[in-house]
Amino acid sequence: MAAFKQSKLKHVGNPLHEIIEITDYLYLGSVIPARNEDLLKEKQITHIVNATVESDHEYKIPVECMKIKITDSLECHIGLYFDIVADKIEKVKNMRGKVLVHCMAGISRSSSLVIAYLMKYKKMSLRDAYHLVKKKRPIINPNPRFWQSLVDYEKKLFGKTTVTMKESEFGVLVPAIHCKSVKDLFNW
């Protein structure tokens, strides 16, 4: 019994083991808590968006699952899925359900999909949606291709963008939001 308590305690505070509430019906996490039946029941999750190619997990509690097979790579066109996932989340909200969006680590793919939803249905700017999700789950970090897709989506939705992409020293476009945080970190 003590060994069980001890192993449970080592996961406390580990963001990979948490389901983070973004709104009262929208949650973000990794594959680890998505497989935790007790946690899904506790959060009253009724729907799951599984944004992985790595995990074909079947959930043992009664949830409806949408599988979006995307990789966390610079070749992936995640923007193709923004509307379908955002529409699904809004449908779940209107049914008074709760949806968990997850990828493997809850850092890049799932956070990008959640940010896209917030822009489309909450009418948030990309900058504000990113900061809201980052505040609730500090480990999020959409890859540069996903950032570009989010910028393009914001332009499609609102006709302008609140985040500019700048070339990094490695020749990759990155959001200026990160440039400022890196400068602040090193007091540049």
Side-chain angles (χ1 to χ4, degrees):
M1 181 83 160
F4 174 73
K5 285 182 181 176
Q6 186 177 19
S7 72
K8 270 190 108 167
L9 287 177
K10 74 179 181 181
H11 299 303
V12 173
N14 182 338
L16 294 179
H17 294 267
E18 297 173 350
I19 293 177
I20 303 302
E21 182 178 309
I22 305 300
T23 70
D24 60 346
Y25 57 87
L26 176 58
Y27 295 80
L28 174 62
S30 73
V31 71
I32 296 167
R35 292 179 176 169
N36 183 328
E37 295 173 39
D38 293 333
L39 189 54
L40 294 175
K41 287 177 187 175
E42 176 189 316
K43 300 289 185 183
Q44 300 175 340
I45 301 298
T46 59
H47 294 74
I48 292 177
V49 175
N50 177 342
T52 69
V53 293
E54 302 91 345
S55 174
D56 281 327
H57 181 71
E58 292 195 20
Y59 308 96
K60 293 183 176 136
I61 67 166
V63 293
E64 183 181 314
C65 183
M66 172 187 270
K67 176 75 171 171
I68 304 293
K69 291 190 175 200
I70 51 178
T71 60
D72 186 4
S73 70
L74 297 179
E75 291 78 38
C76 179
H77 297 280
I78 196 169
L80 298 173
Y81 303 99
F82 286 163
D83 282 324
I84 191 169
V85 172
D87 294 348
K88 180 64 173 182
I89 294 168
E90 187 67 5
K91 183 178 178 185
V92 171
K93 179 195 104 173
N94 292 336
M95 295 172 18
R96 302 202 188 291
K98 295 185 178 190
V99 62
L100 167 64
V101 182
H102 81 82
C103 55
M104 288 307 291
I107 293 173
S108 187
R109 290 170 277 190
S110 56
S111 67
S112 298
L113 294 168
V114 166
I115 290 167
Y117 168 80
L118 294 171
M119 287 193 294
K120 182 172 184 177
Y121 283 101
K122 295 296 184 181
K123 306 298 183 212
M124 295 178 76
S125 69
L126 172 54
R127 179 177 294 278
D128 290 345
Y130 168 76
H131 284 301
L132 172 70
V133 177
K134 183 80 169 171
K135 181 179 179 185
K136 293 182 180 245
R137 188 169 174 84
I139 65 171
I140 71 158
N141 188 21
N143 78 39
R145 175 62 181 224
F146 295 177
W147 266 109
Q148 186 61 58
S149 295
L150 287 164
V151 166
D152 294 343
Y153 194 59
E154 184 179 34
K155 287 178 186 174
K156 174 185 161 190
L157 292 173
F158 306 118
K160 62 180 181 176
T161 188
T162 57
V163 174
T164 56
M165 301 294 286
K166 296 189 177 194
E167 189 169 329
S168 73
E169 61 190 76
F170 304 107
V172 176
L173 288 176
V174 296
I177 289 174
H178 286 314
C179 295
K180 180 170 176 16
S181 63
V182 169
K183 285 181 184 178
D184 290 346
L185 183 64
F186 293 104
N187 295 317
W188 291 354

